């Protein structure tokens, strides 16, 4: 009988297929941009990419906390058992849903300012930005648990499923129903919401082993959060703010071509992330 792979070998394999998933997600993202470019006018396509980019930047502070939380989940799973994480799942989920709801309502309250600063065509676009931020935050919760529990298949597969679901939803709403920009944004948020539901179902069905009762839960490492937030926000701003600036200062036709090139460039940028993603929870555990 063949035993489990050595830890280093398993880490390499995880890094390789996470990289493969990352490449596939990057290619699908590029195809998604081509699809949206066909379904929307040049101006709508530019506004669509601006809203998506701003949603990513707004969510970057919680993306930073996601990195620290992954380490925390991996530590709990290693010291007290995976069952402890399963039992805490609903408590953590409720808190994260409240955070996502608060973030969405805050952005909705700032609708007039966002509409003016981002040159958005109407109030509905700003409100849909709030929906995008909320769904992005909820997907981070699933990703954190998959990552911390070292369920690397789901860490790699969920972004691929996310893009595919968004392609289907946006194609249906923006293309088949002819809802244009609003259909694209609703489809983007709906695809993310469906992916969140699938991820939540997978997490809820996980095994509930007996924890090691002698071990106490470690404290959440809050002191790591500020520097990670600063680094993550800076990185997100540098990789996303260009789309906002292009939307403001260039003609729609030129800016739309830039958006397509930017997506391809970011796909190349994230290629090494597969191995890094596998290393973090393994080292933390």
């Amino acid at each position: 009988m063949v035993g489990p792979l050595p830890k280093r070998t398993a880490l390499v394999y995880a890094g390789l297929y996470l990289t493969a998933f990352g490449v596939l997600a990057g290619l699908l993202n590029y195809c998604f941009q081509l699809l949206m470019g066909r379904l929307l006018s040049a101006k709508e396509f530019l506004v669509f990419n601006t809203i998506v980019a701003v949603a990513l930047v707004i969510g970057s502070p919680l993306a930073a906390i996601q990195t620290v939380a992954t380490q925390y989940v991996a530590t709990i799973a290693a010291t007290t058992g995976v069952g402890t994480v399963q039992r805490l799942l609903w408590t953590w989920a409720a808190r994260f849903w409240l955070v996502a709801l608060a973030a969405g309502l805050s952005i909705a309250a700032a609708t007039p300012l966002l509409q003016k600063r981002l040159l958005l065509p109407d109030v509905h676009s700003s409100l849909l930005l709030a929906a995008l931020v909320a769904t992005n935050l909820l997907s981070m919760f699933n990703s954190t648990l998959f990552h911390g529990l070292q369920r690397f298949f789901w860490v790699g597969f969920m972004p691929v499923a996310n893009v595919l679901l968004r392609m289907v939803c946006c194609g249906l709403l923006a293309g088949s129903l002819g809802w244009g920009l609003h259909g694209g944004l609703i489809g983007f948020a709906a695809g993310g919401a469906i992916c969140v539901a699938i991820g939540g179902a997978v997490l809820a069905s996980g095994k509930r082993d007996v924890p090691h009762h002698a071990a106490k839960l470690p404290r959440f490492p809050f002191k790591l959060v500020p520097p990670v937030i600063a680094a993550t926000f800076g990185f997100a701003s540098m990789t996303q703010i260009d789309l906002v600036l292009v939307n403001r200062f260039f003609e729609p036709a030129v800016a739309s071509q830039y958006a397509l090139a930017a997506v391809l460039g970011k796909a190349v940028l994230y290629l090494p992330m597969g191995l890094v993603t596998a290393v973090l929870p393994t080292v933390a555990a």
Side-chain angles (χ1 to χ4, degrees), residues 21 28 35 57 79 99 107 126 133 150 160-161 171 176 184 218-219 269:
F21 273 128
L28 288 173
L35 173 67
V57 173
T79 56
V99 170
I107 294 168
S126 301
V133 170
Q150 301 185 39
V160 174
S176 299
R219 292 184 178 181
L269 173 67

Side-chain angles (χ1 to χ4, degrees), residues 180-225:
L181 173 63
H182 294 158
L185 293 172
I186 294 172
F188 197 90
I194 294 171
C195 203
V196 167
I198 294 172
V202 173
L203 287 166
S205 64
K207 65 178 182 178
R208 300 176 181 271
D209 60 351
V210 179
H212 311 298
H213 295 287
K216 294 183 179 180
L217 291 180
R219 292 184 178 181
F220 190 87
F222 286 104
K223 65 179 181 180
L224 298 178
V225 172

Side-chain angles (χ1 to χ4, degrees), residues 133-151:
V133 170
T135 54
N136 285 345
L137 295 183
L138 292 175
S139 68
M140 288 179 194
F141 174 75
N142 288 353
S143 179
T144 297
L145 290 177
F146 282 134
H147 198 179
L149 294 173
Q150 301 185 39
R151 300 179 71 173

